[in-house]
Amino acid sequence: MAKAATTAKGATTAKSAAPRKAPKAESHLAMVRRARRINRELAEVYPYAHPELDFRNPFELLVATVLSAQTTDLRVNQTTPALFAAYPTPEDMAAAVPEEMEEIIRPTGFFRAKTKSLMGLSAALRDEFGGEVPGRLEDLVKLPGVGRKTANVVLGNAFGVPGITVDTHFGRLVRRWKWTDEEDPVKVEAVVAGIFPKSEWTMLSHRVVFHGRRICHARKPACGACPIAPLCPSYGEGETDPEKARKLLKYEMGGYPGQRLSPPADYPGKPAPALGAE
């Protein structure tokens, strides 16, 4: 029979650690209450949460959101001033010379596929919607290159129609918070929609994405600097030391510029630099 081990200080420990009891399963009601409390806490941390794409009208937001695939909002914001100067309306963009548009949006990556989508959706807006961006989900998702995520971004931020935007940050955080274990964005959207009232959907999306970009990162979450750590069942996946965690904070939380060149007036951070000025 194995003897008890002795620690460096002379104290004895059990010959084998007692098995830890599995945490008590959280009821659905308890999860909903915790989720809603997280939303309230995030609202206090990020009262200035907003869409991080620069836009002046629904068309610009639609185009910017399509461009944001597989790149950062910062890179999109640095690229769209020249794009909208050249093609300010759907009619202009539909009639563009593809090679010329490709050169403008090259910094966003996948520029040939994105040019095709932008010209296609612009032609559809011109031909089917009188040059106006429609304000209905079922119409938006019919446009080339526009899925539910893009449609919800446009509806929530250009038309005031509540929507849940399930991007990579949103999906990662709601799984870390154990709101759902679904991976499919449409299923995630449906689950989260059942937890929160419709009036919260758009701002919830902004708050969660803000938190994912600033604190709860994919590879190195700053657990030790997280204001909602007591509510997070995944606490400890990242750095828990407060000083080390603070060094992981990004954007205004870490004292750095944000992603928008033209942020809202209440944004506490610095505007992003123009293309070539980084």
Side-chain angles (χ1 to χ4, degrees), residues 4 8-9 15 33 37 42 54-55 86 98 140 192 205 221 224 228 237 248 258:
K9 294 183 179 180
K15 59 186 176 187
R33 287 174 173 167
R37 185 176 172 192
L42 293 180
D54 286 326
F55 69 98
L140 285 167
V192 177
S205 299
I228 61 166
E237 285 188 10
L248 300 174

Side-chain angles (χ1 to χ4, degrees), residues 219-263:
R219 286 183 288 183
K220 289 185 177 181
C223 294
C226 180
I228 61 166
L231 300 171
C232 181
S234 298
Y235 175 79
E237 285 188 10
E239 180 59 65
T240 57
D241 179 84
E243 288 300 321
K244 293 179 180 179
R246 272 193 286 273
K247 295 178 180 179
L248 300 174
L249 301 180
K250 295 183 179 179
Y251 303 111
E252 77 283 353
M253 303 297 284
Y256 304 111
Q259 299 206 84
R260 293 187 68 165
L261 278 66
S262 301

Side-chain angles (χ1 to χ4, degrees), residues 59-78:
F59 177 62
E60 289 191 357
L61 179 57
L62 176 61
V63 169
T65 307
V66 170
L67 285 176
S68 69
Q70 303 299 313
T71 191
T72 64
D73 286 357
L74 171 59
R75 186 60 70 197
V76 173
N77 292 335
Q78 293 172 325

Side-chain angles (χ1 to χ4, degrees), residues 19-27 30 34 178 232-235:
R20 295 181 63 184
K21 292 182 178 180
K24 185 178 179 180
E26 184 178 44
S27 70
R34 180 171 57 83
K178 310 302 182 187
C232 181
S234 298
Y235 175 79

Side-chain angles (χ1 to χ4, degrees), residues 80-104:
T80 50
L83 180 67
F84 294 135
Y87 315 108
T89 69
E91 291 81 2
D92 295 321
M93 194 167 285
V97 176
E99 293 77 12
E100 293 178 0
M101 185 187 293
E102 289 172 2
E103 195 57 34
I104 294 174

